[in-house]
Amino acid sequence: MNLVWLNAVRASSTTVNYLVRDTFTISNGVLINSRSPDIDVVGGGWIFDAGSFSGSSSKAVAGSAQSLAVINSGQADVTVADRMTVLDNTNNRGIALRRTSATNYWRIDLANGTLYRIVQIQAGSPIVRASAAVSYSVGASANLRVVASGNTITAYVSINGGAETSISYGSATFNNTATYHGIYSQTATTNDFHDNFEVYL
Amino acid sequence: MTVIAHIATYWTVNANGENEPYFVGMMTGDKWADVTGTVSPPPDPNTIVLEAIIDDLTFNTVSSDNDLYVMWDAPNPRPPDDIPGAAEFGLLRAYLAQNGWKQAQINQAIGQGVNGRNRRQIADELRTYIKGLTP
């Protein structure tokens, strides 16, 4: 009887094991790679693969087009979350996943104001593996969450706190042991803000 | 009504220089995923089988587009666990031939006849064959 009770307590007290967490609580204009995230288990900090990101109202904004920043979480099978404020409807932004170089990684993005997608960037060439329609307007808050497990990548999106919808790709052998994850913006400052970036088990 | 379907089509390049299936351009409130998993698309011949969850209006558009072939769908009219007739199987072979497949490749991928297989089994065999093709 006691054993049953103990198991019930354990099941109801699941904790999140953060590998990376960054709320970007920094002064405007400060580069995110110039300081330590709130949690950085490996300890390498942010790396700019392309462009840059800096603080703006305690969020991260891109400094130039095609900005890509990554951080080593030490794990490939993870959940990555990013809260974005989307300030245009014509460009792409999102999460970078399982990156080995600036031209080899996965991108889970909100695209063109109409879609969210799972995109494989292989030798710099984008391959769209899954997408779904999503509707959002300028100023929308988008919670993007990605679960990478073995050869399956599942992306969840919620707009303005609404219900999550999901897409999944089940043959993600490309870069499936890569441990760097991060944020991406197609265009520069003021088009979108990244906040509350998390990598956890 | 929402329809789930496995659809054969081909890879194309969109206006942003991204590789994506031809099907994507006609999406409205729908979603899809690559269920073939070719490592470096497009393969040669250029074919992909994708899974789409679409409304019936999009399904009707897909069904009437010669660049797309519905291998099965649920609910009707092509349930995945039913065995297709010879005429329907011939339409699949014709679709592949029109998209650059040699007869020998078609025979290797899906065989020359239905041979008691249902639509899902035929689609799975086609996906497996395409996944083994190189660019």
Side-chain angles (χ1 to χ4, degrees), chain A residues 3 34 64 99:
Chain A
L3 186 60
S34 67
S64 63
R99 162 271 191 198

Side-chain angles (χ1 to χ4, degrees), chain B residues 11 15 17 23 25 27 32 44 58 68 77-80 82 86 89 93 103-104 116 128:
Chain B
W11 289 92
F23 164 83
M27 284 179 57
W32 70 274
D44 182 18
T58 304
L68 301 157
R78 293 186 178 180
D82 282 8
F89 189 71
R93 289 181 60 90
Q103 288 300 315
T128 300

Side-chain angles (χ1 to χ4, degrees), chain A residues 150-163:
Chain A
N151 294 334
T152 299
I153 294 173
T154 304
Y156 302 83
V157 67
S158 165
I159 303 295
N160 293 327

Side-chain angles (χ1 to χ4, degrees), chain B residues 20-84:
Chain B
E20 67 182 18
Y22 165 76
F23 164 83
V24 177
M26 61 182 58
M27 284 179 57
T28 51
D30 312 311
K31 70 178 181 179
W32 70 274
D34 173 2
V35 291
T36 305
T38 306
V39 175
S40 299
D44 182 18
N46 181 357
T47 306
I48 174 180
V49 177
L50 59 85
E51 180 175 287
I53 299 174
I54 52 184
D55 63 28
D56 44 4
L57 291 176
T58 304
F59 181 74
N60 290 338
T61 304
V62 166
S63 299
S64 61
D65 190 323
N66 290 333
D67 288 320
L68 301 157
Y69 183 87
V70 178
M71 303 202 67
W72 60 258
D73 65 271
N76 292 324
R78 293 186 178 180
D81 296 326
D82 282 8
I83 297 171

Side-chain angles (χ1 to χ4, degrees), chain A residues 123-193:
Chain A
S125 178
I127 304 163
V128 184
R129 295 295 193 172
S131 71
V134 65
S135 178
Y136 55 90
S137 54
V138 172
S141 171
N143 286 332
L144 195 56
R145 183 167 63 91
V146 185
V147 178
S149 177
N151 294 334
T152 299
I153 294 173
T154 304
Y156 302 83
V157 67
S158 165
I159 303 295
N160 293 327
E164 278 189 331
T165 60
S166 68
I167 52 176
S168 189
Y169 177 56
S171 296
T173 55
F174 173 75
N175 274 11
N176 65 0
T177 60
T179 60
Y180 284 78
H181 318 293
I183 54 178
Y184 166 81
S185 285
Q186 184 182 7
T187 57
T189 310
T190 72
N191 286 294
D192 43 80
F193 294 90

Side-chain angles (χ1 to χ4, degrees), chain B residues 88-108:
Chain B
E88 182 183 322
F89 189 71
L91 290 175
L92 172 59
R93 289 181 60 90
Y95 173 83
L96 295 173
Q98 289 162 10
N99 283 277
W101 288 62
K102 298 181 175 72
Q103 288 300 315
Q105 290 175 310
I106 297 172
N107 292 342
Q108 288 172 10

